Coordinates of all heavy atoms in Angstrom, one line a residue:
W1 N 0.8 -1.2 0.0 CA 0.0 0.0 0.0 C 0.9 1.2 0.0 O 1.9 1.3 0.8 CB -0.9 0.0 1.2 CG -2.1 -0.9 1.1 CD1 -2.2 -2.1 1.6 CD2 -3.4 -0.6 0.5 NE1 -3.5 -2.6 1.3 CE2 -4.2 -1.7 0.6 CE3 -3.8 0.5 -0.3 CZ2 -5.5 -1.7 0.1 CZ3 -5.1 0.5 -0.8 CH2 -5.9 -0.6 -0.6
Y2 N 0.5 2.2 -0.8 CA 1.3 3.4 -1.0 C 0.3 4.6 -0.9 O -0.8 4.5 -1.2 CB 2.0 3.4 -2.4 CG 2.9 2.2 -2.5 CD1 2.4 1.0 -2.8 CD2 4.3 2.3 -2.3 CE1 3.2 -0.2 -2.9 CE2 5.1 1.2 -2.4 CZ 4.5 0.0 -2.7 OH 5.3 -1.1 -2.8
R3 N 0.9 5.7 -0.5 CA 0.0 6.9 -0.5 C 0.8 8.1 -0.9 O 2.0 8.2 -0.9 CB -0.5 7.2 0.9 CG 0.5 7.6 2.0 CD -0.1 7.7 3.4 NE 0.8 8.1 4.4 CZ 0.5 8.2 5.7 NH1 -0.7 7.8 6.1 NH2 1.5 8.6 6.5
Q4 N 0.0 9.1 -1.5 CA 0.6 10.3 -1.9 C -0.3 11.5 -1.6 O -1.5 11.5 -2.0 CB 0.9 10.3 -3.4 CG 1.7 11.5 -3.9 CD 2.4 11.3 -5.2 OE1 2.0 10.4 -6.0 NE2 3.5 12.0 -5.5
A5 N 0.2 12.4 -0.8 CA -0.5 13.6 -0.5 C -0.1 14.7 -1.4 O 1.0 14.7 -2.0 CB -0.2 14.0 1.0
P6 N -0.9 15.7 -1.6 CA -0.6 16.8 -2.5 C 0.7 17.5 -2.1 O 0.9 17.8 -0.9 CB -1.8 17.8 -2.3 CG -2.9 16.9 -1.9 CD -2.3 15.8 -1.1
G7 N 1.6 17.6 -3.1 CA 2.9 18.3 -2.8 C 3.9 17.4 -2.1 O 5.0 17.9 -1.8
K8 N 3.6 16.2 -1.9 CA 4.5 15.3 -1.2 C 4.9 14.1 -2.0 O 4.2 13.8 -3.0 CB 3.9 14.8 0.2 CG 3.7 16.0 1.2 CD 3.3 15.3 2.5 CE 3.1 16.5 3.6 NZ 2.7 15.9 4.9
D9 N 6.0 13.5 -1.7 CA 6.5 12.3 -2.4 C 5.6 11.1 -2.0 O 5.0 11.1 -0.9 CB 7.9 12.0 -2.1 CG 8.9 13.0 -2.6 OD1 8.6 13.7 -3.6 OD2 10.0 13.1 -2.0
Q10 N 5.5 10.2 -2.9 CA 4.8 8.9 -2.6 C 5.5 8.2 -1.5 O 6.7 8.1 -1.4 CB 4.7 8.1 -3.9 CG 3.8 6.8 -3.7 CD 3.8 6.0 -4.9 OE1 4.8 5.6 -5.4 NE2 2.6 5.9 -5.5
E11 N 4.7 7.6 -0.6 CA 5.2 6.9 0.6 C 4.7 5.5 0.6 O 3.5 5.2 0.5 CB 4.8 7.6 1.8 CG 5.2 7.0 3.1 CD 4.7 7.6 4.3 OE1 3.7 8.4 4.2 OE2 5.2 7.4 5.5
G12 N 5.6 4.5 0.6 CA 5.2 3.1 0.8 C 5.0 2.9 2.3 O 5.8 3.1 3.2
I13 N 3.7 2.6 2.7 CA 3.3 2.5 4.1 C 3.2 1.2 4.6 O 3.4 1.0 5.9 CB 2.0 3.3 4.3 CG1 0.9 2.8 3.4 CG2 2.3 4.8 4.1 CD1 -0.4 3.4 3.8
S14 N 2.9 0.2 3.8 CA 2.8 -1.2 4.3 C 2.9 -2.2 3.2 O 2.5 -1.9 2.1 CB 1.5 -1.4 5.1 OG 1.4 -2.6 5.7
C15 N 3.3 -3.4 3.5 CA 3.4 -4.4 2.5 C 3.3 -5.8 3.2 O 3.5 -6.0 4.4 CB 4.6 -4.3 1.6 SG 6.1 -4.2 2.5
I16 N 2.9 -6.8 2.4 CA 2.7 -8.1 2.9 C 3.1 -9.1 1.8 O 3.0 -8.9 0.6 CB 1.2 -8.3 3.2 CG1 0.9 -9.6 3.9 CG2 0.3 -8.2 2.0 CD1 -0.5 -9.7 4.6
N17 N 3.7 -10.2 2.3 CA 4.2 -11.2 1.3 C 3.0 -12.1 0.8 O 1.9 -11.9 1.3 CB 5.3 -12.1 1.9 CG 4.8 -13.0 3.0 OD1 3.8 -12.8 3.6 ND2 5.6 -14.0 3.3
N18 N 3.3 -13.0 -0.1 CA 2.2 -13.7 -0.8 C 1.4 -14.6 0.2 O 0.2 -14.8 0.1 CB 2.7 -14.5 -2.0 CG 3.9 -15.4 -1.7 OD1 4.3 -15.5 -0.5 ND2 4.4 -16.1 -2.7
S19 N 2.1 -15.2 1.2 CA 1.4 -16.1 2.1 C 0.8 -15.3 3.3 O 0.0 -15.9 4.0 CB 2.4 -17.1 2.6 OG 3.4 -16.5 3.3
G20 N 1.1 -14.1 3.5 CA 0.5 -13.3 4.5 C 1.2 -13.4 5.9 O 0.7 -12.8 6.8
D21 N 2.3 -14.1 5.9 CA 3.0 -14.2 7.2 C 4.1 -13.3 7.5 O 4.7 -13.3 8.5 CB 3.5 -15.7 7.4 CG 4.4 -16.1 6.3 OD1 4.7 -15.3 5.4 OD2 4.9 -17.3 6.4
E22 N 4.4 -12.4 6.6 CA 5.4 -11.3 6.7 C 4.8 -10.0 6.3 O 4.2 -9.9 5.3 CB 6.6 -11.6 5.9 CG 7.3 -12.9 6.3 CD 8.6 -13.1 5.5 OE1 8.9 -12.3 4.6 OE2 9.3 -14.1 5.8
T23 N 5.0 -9.0 7.2 CA 4.4 -7.7 6.9 C 5.5 -6.6 7.3 O 6.3 -6.9 8.2 CB 3.1 -7.4 7.7 OG1 3.4 -7.6 9.1 CG2 2.0 -8.4 7.3
L24 N 5.3 -5.5 6.8 CA 6.2 -4.3 7.1 C 5.3 -3.1 7.2 O 4.3 -3.0 6.5 CB 7.3 -4.1 6.0 CG 8.5 -5.0 6.0 CD1 9.4 -4.7 4.8 CD2 9.3 -4.9 7.3
Y25 N 5.8 -2.1 8.0 CA 5.0 -0.9 8.1 C 6.0 0.3 8.2 O 7.1 0.2 8.8 CB 4.2 -0.9 9.4 CG 3.1 -1.9 9.5 CD1 3.4 -3.2 10.0 CD2 1.9 -1.7 8.9 CE1 2.4 -4.2 10.0 CE2 0.9 -2.7 8.9 CZ 1.2 -3.9 9.5 OH 0.2 -4.9 9.5
A26 N 5.6 1.4 7.6 CA 6.4 2.6 7.8 C 6.2 3.1 9.2 O 5.2 2.9 9.8 CB 5.9 3.7 6.7
D27 N 7.2 3.8 9.7 CA 7.1 4.3 11.0 C 5.9 5.2 11.2 O 5.4 5.3 12.3 CB 8.4 5.1 11.4 CG 9.6 4.2 11.5 OD1 9.4 2.9 11.7 OD2 10.8 4.7 11.5
S28 N 5.5 5.9 10.1 CA 4.4 6.9 10.2 C 3.1 6.2 10.5 O 2.2 6.9 11.0 CB 4.4 7.7 8.9 OG 4.2 6.8 7.8
V29 N 3.0 4.9 10.3 CA 1.7 4.2 10.5 C 1.8 3.0 11.4 O 0.8 2.4 11.8 CB 1.1 3.7 9.1 CG1 1.0 4.9 8.2 CG2 1.9 2.6 8.5
K30 N 3.0 2.7 11.8 CA 3.2 1.5 12.7 C 2.4 1.7 14.0 O 2.4 2.7 14.6 CB 4.7 1.4 13.0 CG 5.1 0.0 13.5 CD 6.6 -0.1 13.6 CE 7.3 0.0 12.3 NZ 8.7 -0.1 12.3
G31 N 1.7 0.6 14.3 CA 0.8 0.6 15.5 C -0.6 1.1 15.3 O -1.4 1.0 16.2
R32 N -0.8 1.7 14.1 CA -2.1 2.2 13.8 C -2.8 1.5 12.6 O -4.0 1.4 12.6 CB -2.1 3.7 13.5 CG -1.5 4.6 14.7 CD -1.6 6.1 14.3 NE -0.9 6.5 13.2 CZ -1.4 7.0 12.1 NH1 -2.7 7.3 12.0 NH2 -0.6 7.4 11.0
F33 N -2.0 1.1 11.7 CA -2.5 0.4 10.5 C -2.1 -1.1 10.6 O -1.1 -1.5 11.1 CB -1.9 1.0 9.2 CG -2.3 2.4 8.9 CD1 -3.0 3.2 9.8 CD2 -1.9 3.0 7.7 CE1 -3.4 4.5 9.5 CE2 -2.3 4.3 7.3 CZ -3.1 5.0 8.2
T34 N -3.0 -1.9 10.0 CA -2.8 -3.3 9.9 C -3.1 -3.8 8.5 O -4.2 -3.6 8.0 CB -3.7 -4.1 10.9 OG1 -3.4 -3.6 12.2 CG2 -3.3 -5.6 10.9
I35 N -2.1 -4.5 7.9 CA -2.3 -5.1 6.6 C -2.6 -6.6 6.7 O -1.9 -7.2 7.5 CB -1.1 -4.8 5.6 CG1 -1.4 -5.2 4.2 CG2 0.2 -5.5 6.2 CD1 -0.3 -4.8 3.2
F36 N -3.5 -7.1 6.0 CA -3.8 -8.5 6.0 C -4.4 -8.9 4.7 O -4.8 -8.0 3.9 CB -4.7 -8.9 7.2 CG -6.0 -8.3 7.2 CD1 -7.2 -8.9 6.8 CD2 -6.2 -7.0 7.7 CE1 -8.4 -8.3 6.9 CE2 -7.4 -6.4 7.8 CZ -8.5 -7.0 7.4
R37 N -4.5 -10.2 4.4 CA -5.0 -10.6 3.1 C -5.9 -11.8 3.3 O -5.7 -12.6 4.3 CB -3.8 -10.9 2.2 CG -3.0 -12.1 2.6 CD -1.7 -12.1 1.7 NE -2.0 -12.1 0.3 CZ -1.2 -11.6 -0.7 NH1 0.0 -11.2 -0.4 NH2 -1.6 -11.6 -1.9
D38 N -6.8 -12.0 2.4 CA -7.7 -13.1 2.3 C -7.5 -13.6 0.9 O -8.2 -13.1 -0.1 CB -9.2 -12.7 2.6 CG -10.1 -13.9 2.6 OD1 -9.7 -14.9 2.1 OD2 -11.2 -13.7 3.1
N39 N -6.7 -14.6 0.7 CA -6.4 -15.1 -0.6 C -7.6 -15.8 -1.2 O -7.7 -15.8 -2.5 CB -5.1 -16.0 -0.6 CG -3.9 -15.2 -0.4 OD1 -3.8 -14.0 -0.7 ND2 -2.8 -15.9 0.0
A40 N -8.5 -16.3 -0.4 CA -9.6 -16.9 -1.0 C -10.6 -15.9 -1.6 O -11.3 -16.2 -2.6 CB -10.4 -17.6 0.1
Q41 N -10.5 -14.7 -1.1 CA -11.3 -13.5 -1.7 C -10.4 -12.7 -2.7 O -11.0 -11.8 -3.3 CB -11.7 -12.6 -0.6 CG -12.7 -13.3 0.4 CD -14.0 -13.7 -0.3 OE1 -14.5 -13.0 -1.1 NE2 -14.5 -14.9 0.1
N42 N -9.2 -13.2 -2.9 CA -8.3 -12.4 -3.8 C -8.2 -11.0 -3.5 O -8.2 -10.1 -4.4 CB -8.8 -12.6 -5.3 CG -7.8 -12.9 -6.3 OD1 -6.7 -13.5 -5.9 ND2 -8.0 -12.6 -7.5
T43 N -8.1 -10.7 -2.2 CA -8.1 -9.3 -1.7 C -7.1 -9.1 -0.6 O -6.9 -10.0 0.2 CB -9.5 -9.0 -1.2 OG1 -10.5 -9.1 -2.3 CG2 -9.6 -7.5 -0.7
V44 N -6.5 -7.9 -0.6 CA -5.6 -7.5 0.5 C -6.3 -6.3 1.1 O -6.8 -5.4 0.4 CB -4.2 -7.1 0.0 CG1 -3.4 -6.5 1.1 CG2 -3.5 -8.4 -0.5
Y45 N -6.2 -6.2 2.4 CA -6.9 -5.1 3.2 C -5.9 -4.2 3.9 O -4.8 -4.7 4.3 CB -7.9 -5.7 4.2 CG -8.9 -6.6 3.6 CD1 -8.7 -7.9 3.5 CD2 -10.1 -6.0 3.1 CE1 -9.7 -8.7 2.9 CE2 -11.1 -6.8 2.6 CZ -10.9 -8.2 2.4 OH -11.9 -9.0 1.9
L46 N -6.3 -3.0 4.2 CA -5.5 -2.2 5.1 C -6.4 -1.5 6.1 O -7.3 -0.7 5.7 CB -4.8 -1.1 4.3 CG -3.8 -0.1 5.1 CD1 -2.6 -1.0 5.5 CD2 -3.4 1.1 4.3
Q47 N -6.4 -2.0 7.3 CA -7.2 -1.5 8.4 C -6.5 -0.3 9.0 O -5.3 -0.4 9.4 CB -7.4 -2.5 9.5 CG -8.2 -2.0 10.7 CD -9.6 -1.7 10.4 OE1 -10.3 -2.4 9.6 NE2 -10.1 -0.6 10.9

């Protein structure tokens, strides 16, 4: 997941591997955002 605010550079904020057992978060969102996936639904979520 990436985000871009007006006038700012794009920021990679979170990512997850294909099996869903490894995740990373940018410091700016750590502890507030959660990435997870439901491969049966072919969808990745960002809470």
